[in-house]
Amino acid sequence: MTLAEAIARRLSADAYREFEQGASLKGLLKPFKGKGDLQQFAETILRLRARVAGLMGVMLTIMAQSPFSLLDLRLVVQHSASGTDFLRWRSSDFQRMGVQVWQQAMALPHLAPSLREALYQLEVNRVTLNLQMSSLQSLYRQAETGVSKLHAAETLFDLSRSPTEE
């Protein structure tokens, strides 16, 4: 089994199977009956974010092992201001960061083809996981904003009702 195949297996469709059961667009594209439904949706998003973070951890574990640990390339978690984690490439001396570090590693003439393929697979997974984390964070933020707006509407409605309506 090649390195790329081993990576693909660890971050395969099986790893995503749980996501399919817990998330779908039909959960988003439904009429929310109130802030409770929207809060539940936000909680689901948080659980999905934790699972994506777990897959990010798998990638960090892979990169910490040989032969990847021998390269001038590290995969690190960068914490955003919103509290979301993203995977970033760093040089081993931490002087450089970004996809350019990965591109330089890929351009090494002595890099074994199997290692080059494995690094490609890792980059595909990094981009995918970052996209998923970013999308989930955006949905979560929107859901939380919606809960706040529904709470404000509910409060105003309760205050505006006359005592005879109760």
Side-chain angles (χ1 to χ4, degrees):
M1 176 183 308
T2 68
L3 282 170
E5 290 170 340
I7 291 167
R9 185 163 21 120
R10 288 187 71 184
L11 295 166
S12 70
D14 289 342
Y16 284 91
R17 189 155 291 130
E18 289 180 31
F19 294 150
E20 292 173 8
Q21 294 170 359
S24 72
L25 284 179
K26 70 179 182 182
L28 172 63
L29 302 174
K30 70 174 188 173
F32 292 103
K33 294 184 173 105
K35 68 180 182 186
D37 282 353
L38 207 47
Q39 284 173 323
Q40 187 176 28
F41 180 65
E43 290 167 9
T44 299
I45 293 169
L46 286 178
R47 285 191 301 275
L48 291 170
R49 269 189 9 190
R51 290 178 180 167
V52 170
L55 291 176
M56 288 178 168
V58 169
M59 286 191 57
L60 294 172
T61 300
I62 290 168
M63 281 300 297
Q65 298 170 3
S66 183
F68 304 108
S69 61
L70 303 173
L71 298 172
D72 183 27
L73 177 73
R74 299 292 175 262
L75 194 59
V76 298
V77 173
Q78 181 181 25
H79 306 287
S80 72
S82 67
T84 307
D85 295 340
F86 294 100
L87 293 173
R88 301 284 187 244
W89 294 112
R90 301 271 332 230
S91 60
S92 59
D93 62 5
F94 286 86
Q95 296 297 313
R96 294 169 288 130
M97 184 170 92
V99 73
Q100 300 83 6
V101 176
W102 175 82
Q103 291 168 340
Q104 289 172 349
M106 290 292 285
L108 293 172
H110 64 277
L111 197 64
S114 62
L115 189 51
R116 189 178 314 278
E117 184 181 352
L119 284 174
Y120 166 75
Q121 187 63 52
L122 285 166
E123 175 62 358
V124 167
N125 286 310
R126 185 192 71 81
V127 168
T128 301
L129 290 170
N130 282 349
L131 170 70
Q132 290 167 336
M133 187 62 84
S134 178
S135 297
L136 288 168
Q137 177 60 19
S138 180
L139 278 173
Y140 177 73
R141 210 173 30 250
Q142 292 295 321
E144 286 293 299
T145 298
V147 167
S148 176
K149 288 178 180 181
L150 288 177
H151 178 71
E154 182 181 276
T155 300
L156 182 62
F157 176 73
D158 288 343
L159 289 173
S160 69
R161 291 188 345 200
S162 66
T164 58
E165 291 181 49
E166 293 179 9

